[in-house]
Amino acid sequence: MTENGAAFAFLESNTTGTGREFCAAARARGMRPVLLSRDPGRYPYAAADGVDTVVLDTADPQAVLDACTRIAPAAIASSSEYFVDMAARMAAKLGLPGPDGDAVARCRSKDTQRAVHAAAGVPVPAFAAVTSAGEAADAAARIGLPVVLKPVSGSGSAGVRLCGDRRQARTWADRLLADGSATVLVEAAVRGPEYSVETFDGAVVAVVAKHVGPEPYFVETGHDVPAPVPAATAEVLGATAVRAVAALGLGYGAAHTELRLGPDGPVVIEVNPRLAGGMIPVAVRAATGVDLVDAVIARAAGRPAALPGPAAGHAAVRFVQVATEGRVTAIDGLADAAAAPGVAAAAATTAVGRDVRVTHSFQDRLACVVAAGPDHATASRRATAATALIDITVEELPR
């Protein structure tokens, strides 16, 4: 059991809302959040909420360990895909609760994860890990077009693209390799709607429907909790996710499993050894009363999880997407969006003065709204209407 005022170290953060929720949850449990970051300015909430920050090279394990030794945290965690592995290993070094670092590492490498799942009989797309553009083109032809190419390490749809022929596969692989990816994953494109399953300690908490932008990219534009599908469909999606999580040895805490419902049933796209981003945990709390953010904080601090709170039954997340590249000069309408009917949260994920560009990834989302309602249609309508109230002014930069 930790004491009031004890530090809770957060190793970097995600940028789409729940990083702020993590810090708020730690404070609500009487702890002092401390953000360890190379660039705290990436997270506008840190300054706005007065979160203590430590600037360091967070890619350097020794630097992180030295910082943790100085602040003596009672818990450490990360809401960032790129730092969950480091946080797990730091927790082990510091004698704090945390997931198995090896299991987390298996998830962080998409080709390793694929191989583990295939060996365990978990349904995954046909795939190949390649290290050259020529190998990518050959793998695409062998697997069967169209294929999806992605870096073996990454999140938020960054670098993910549908390729319809050998030339596209070669060109995109060449780009990924030039951008620093040592290995590229080539996999069969699974046709069908996309979902995620949120689990905690291997148990299903929610099945979520995803809205995805136009091909050839896979940018998530919204989420619905619970997914508006028949109970039998939700059950098979949840059971497949539980098998996927267990095969990787993830028996601790939160996991976010992404799936496509193909013609032959669910296919696992990937398991993330962390809480979902994209404000999904806020939507889960609004819809079901289960506070996954607090559950992660409680587990890392060695405390029992809270009982479920009030629940609306349904919730929806919608995003404001970047439309013009340039510099953000004004953000208006957040207060109006937050005060709109049924809205549980409204937040900007950028800040005035920051430059934005179209990346075809999660970075294209500049603001988000979570709205709740007694049914799927009401929650969706409320979220869409509130999102329309947010106006982000972006001025084109001189060439």
Side-chain angles (χ1 to χ4, degrees):
M1 185 72 73
T2 57
E3 299 176 359
N4 282 353
F8 194 123
F10 292 103
L11 187 57
E12 294 291 356
S13 173
N14 61 333
T15 57
T16 50
T18 49
R20 187 175 209 165
E21 293 275 329
F22 269 55
C23 290
R27 279 179 166 155
R29 284 186 171 266
M31 292 176 284
R32 177 174 60 91
V34 180
L35 176 64
L36 310 182
S37 175
R38 181 193 294 269
D39 177 17
R42 294 184 62 228
Y43 317 116
Y45 73 83
D49 297 350
V51 175
D52 290 344
T53 58
V54 177
V55 179
L56 73 159
D57 181 1
T58 47
D60 180 350
Q62 189 59 51
V64 175
L65 183 59
D66 290 345
C68 287
T69 300
R70 289 193 299 273
I71 66 175
I76 183 170
S78 179
S79 60
S80 167
E81 171 76 17
Y82 300 98
F83 290 91
V84 287
D85 186 3
M86 176 89 76
R89 298 194 186 281
M90 287 299 122
K93 287 181 179 292
L94 296 167
L96 300 172
D100 180 86
D102 291 338
V104 172
R106 282 193 289 273
C107 293
R108 289 287 299 120
S109 176
K110 298 183 195 301
D111 54 336
T112 300
Q113 183 181 139
R114 280 277 185 274
V116 170
H117 281 153
V122 175
V124 294
F127 71 96
V130 302
T131 57
S132 74
E135 288 177 342
D138 291 342
R142 184 171 65 253
I143 291 170
L145 295 161
V147 293
V148 175
L149 269 65
K150 62 182 70 172
V152 295
S153 178
S155 71
S157 303
V160 183
R161 191 186 194 280
L162 182 72
C163 297
D165 56 40
R166 286 175 59 97
R167 180 188 58 81
Q168 288 181 352
R170 178 186 291 273
T171 300
W172 193 250
D174 196 43
R175 174 174 170 175
L176 293 176
L177 294 166
D179 286 344
S181 298
T183 306
V184 172
L185 192 66
V186 182
E187 62 185 31
V190 180
R191 295 305 191 181
E194 187 169 346
Y195 301 91
S196 72
V197 176
E198 314 310 320
T199 55
F200 199 86
D201 288 350
V204 175
V205 177
V207 177
V208 181
K210 293 180 175 291
H211 297 257
V212 181
E215 295 178 350
Y217 304 102
F218 298 89
V219 180
E220 295 173 2
T221 60
H223 310 286
D224 297 316
V225 183
V229 297
T233 300
E235 185 176 350
V236 72
L237 287 165
T240 304
V242 167
R243 287 177 58 201
V245 168
L248 293 164
L250 289 174
Y252 173 102
H256 167 66
T257 303
E258 298 175 349
L259 310 95
R260 286 249 178 189
L261 188 57
D264 298 321
V267 178
V268 175
I269 302 302
E270 64 183 56
V271 175
N272 300 279
R274 55 165 172 80
L275 210 56
M279 295 295 276
I280 289 175
V282 179
V284 169
R285 183 176 64 217
T288 71
V290 176
D291 192 336
L292 284 170
V293 174
D294 180 71
V296 170
I297 298 302
R299 173 56 56 82
R303 298 181 178 183
L307 295 174
H314 294 263
V317 183
R318 298 294 183 267
F319 298 104
V320 177
Q321 305 282 123
V322 62
T324 303
E325 295 191 336
R327 182 159 295 159
V328 177
T329 58
I331 300 174
D332 299 303
L334 277 177
D336 292 337
V343 170
T349 53
T350 188
V352 171
R354 296 193 75 86
D355 294 342
V356 296
R357 61 189 182 91
V358 176
T359 65
H360 304 296
S361 76
F362 70 98
Q363 296 177 41
D364 294 353
R365 305 190 301 226
L366 304 184
C368 57
V369 167
V370 181
D375 52 62
H376 163 69
T378 301
S380 177
R381 184 176 65 252
R382 287 172 170 176
T384 300
T387 302
L389 299 174
I390 301 173
D391 183 23
I392 298 178
T393 304
V394 177
E395 292 189 358
E396 186 175 352
L397 295 174
R399 295 187 181 276

